[in-house]
Amino acid sequence: MNDRELRKLLQDIARQFQEADRSFRETHTGLPVHVVRADVADAMPKGITLSAEDLDKYAAAVAGDEPFELHLRG
């Protein structure tokens, strides 16, 4: 895979995450963190797996209606 293909792949993953995030926040913003955390894995697009630490941070961000920045490593 060349650099251009890798960039496109990472952009596609970021777009998929943003779409899933928007939808997930519509139903989970303001809920208790443990409820959000329990549902996160099922809300992520296929092929996107967050570490346990990132899942915790994401759940806290959604519950508190705070931003979350996904860092992709390529």
Side-chain angles (χ1 to χ4, degrees):
M1 178 177 291
N2 63 38
D3 286 345
R4 187 171 147 232
E5 292 170 329
L6 179 59
R7 272 194 308 275
K8 181 169 178 3
L9 175 64
L10 293 175
Q11 289 171 343
D12 288 345
I13 291 169
R15 181 188 46 76
Q16 290 174 21
F17 178 80
Q18 289 170 344
E19 290 172 4
D21 175 57
R22 194 172 16 260
S23 177
F24 187 69
R25 284 176 182 266
E26 287 177 5
T27 58
H28 286 74
T29 295
L31 294 177
V33 173
H34 73 277
V35 173
V36 176
R37 175 68 165 81
D39 292 345
V40 169
D42 293 331
M44 290 294 109
K46 187 171 270 194
I48 295 179
T49 304
L50 300 178
S51 68
E53 181 181 351
D54 283 342
L55 284 172
D56 291 341
K57 289 178 183 178
Y58 180 69
V62 170
D65 197 18
E66 299 290 330
F68 175 82
E69 189 171 319
L70 177 65
H71 296 277
L72 298 174
R73 296 169 204 60

